[in-house]
Amino acid sequence: MASTEPGYERLRNPVDLVEQIAHRSDWSCDRASDDELTMVVAGSWTEYHVSLNWREDLETLHIACAFEFKVPDARIMEIYRLVGQINEQLWLGHFDVWRQEGLIMYSHGLMLNGTLATTGQCDALLKAALEACERYFQAFQYVVWAGKQSREALVSSMFETEGQA
């Protein structure tokens, strides 16, 4: 069945739809299997490694958006505090620390419950993940590299500037 959105076909496997979006956005992507897609997306602060997995049994499209971030032992507890404070602010998804891999990861799932994914839903899923990572990246930087307390780092990341200097 065709979508009302021009240029996109409505597909049963939402990974196919996300792959179309990735190609149109000129994002580097790799299809590991029918149910898995990985991409690299350039952000303002770093590159984000995005992985999407379709679980047909759960009817859920899962997104994980990670960035490399080595946390020194002396700052790990403050990073955990920051993750908890950030997660309290998020309406969608959550952040995790993957210490051994040296990653900070945003994770979220889109439950479809018997319906087909739309371009709008997949775009929103990608947008939520990338915006969360972009918004809070500097808070992680402030804690690790500037030695700030988690609350102070979070407040600084909530500050929004208008325009560019």
Side-chain angles (χ1 to χ4, degrees), residues 39 55 59 69 77 88 122 148 159 161 165:
M39 314 183 257
R55 287 275 311 263
E59 296 181 281
F69 205 85
M77 291 312 296
E88 288 174 356
C122 292
K148 302 288 184 189
F159 180 76
T161 56

Side-chain angles (χ1 to χ4, degrees), residues 5 13-19 21 27 35 37 39 41 48-55 59-66 90-95 106-112 117-134:
E5 299 171 65
N13 184 336
V15 176
D16 296 332
L17 184 55
V18 175
E19 186 174 31
I21 294 168
W27 293 334
D35 296 331
L37 177 73
M39 314 183 257
V41 179
Y48 300 106
H49 303 274
V50 182
S51 176
L52 290 115
N53 296 65
W54 170 242
R55 287 275 311 263
E59 296 181 281
T60 301
L61 179 62
H62 179 262
I63 188 168
C65 185
L90 294 175
W91 281 46
L92 300 172
H94 68 278
F95 279 95
Y106 172 89
S107 181
H108 183 53
L110 173 65
M111 295 179 63
L112 294 172
T118 66
T119 302
Q121 289 171 312
C122 292
D123 276 334
L125 184 67
L126 289 163
K127 183 179 177 183
L130 294 169
E131 284 182 356
C133 289
E134 281 283 284

Side-chain angles (χ1 to χ4, degrees), residues 78-90 136 143 149-155 158:
E78 203 59 36
I79 285 292
Y80 285 135
R81 281 195 269 294
L82 176 63
V83 165
Q85 292 164 1
I86 289 171
N87 286 342
E88 288 174 356
Q89 302 291 314
L90 294 175
Y136 295 109
V143 167
Q149 296 297 308
S150 58
R151 179 58 57 195
E152 184 181 2
L154 181 60
V155 167
M158 301 303 284

Side-chain angles (χ1 to χ4, degrees), residues 3-77:
S3 171
T4 58
E5 299 171 65
Y8 288 95
E9 186 181 335
R10 197 153 179 204
L11 304 167
R12 179 150 305 282
N13 184 336
V15 176
D16 296 332
L17 184 55
V18 175
E19 186 174 31
Q20 289 179 358
I21 294 168
H23 287 302
R24 295 223 168 115
S25 299
D26 289 325
W27 293 334
S28 172
C29 65
D30 181 43
R31 192 72 181 259
S33 71
D34 287 345
D35 296 331
E36 184 178 348
L37 177 73
T38 58
M39 314 183 257
V40 176
V41 179
S44 298
W45 312 109
T46 191
E47 283 188 340
Y48 300 106
H49 303 274
V50 182
S51 176
L52 290 115
N53 296 65
W54 170 242
R55 287 275 311 263
E56 192 165 353
D57 59 328
L58 298 175
E59 296 181 281
T60 301
L61 179 62
H62 179 262
I63 188 168
C65 185
F67 51 90
E68 288 185 31
F69 205 85
K70 306 263 190 247
V71 180
D73 290 340
R75 300 302 295 158
I76 192 65
M77 291 312 296

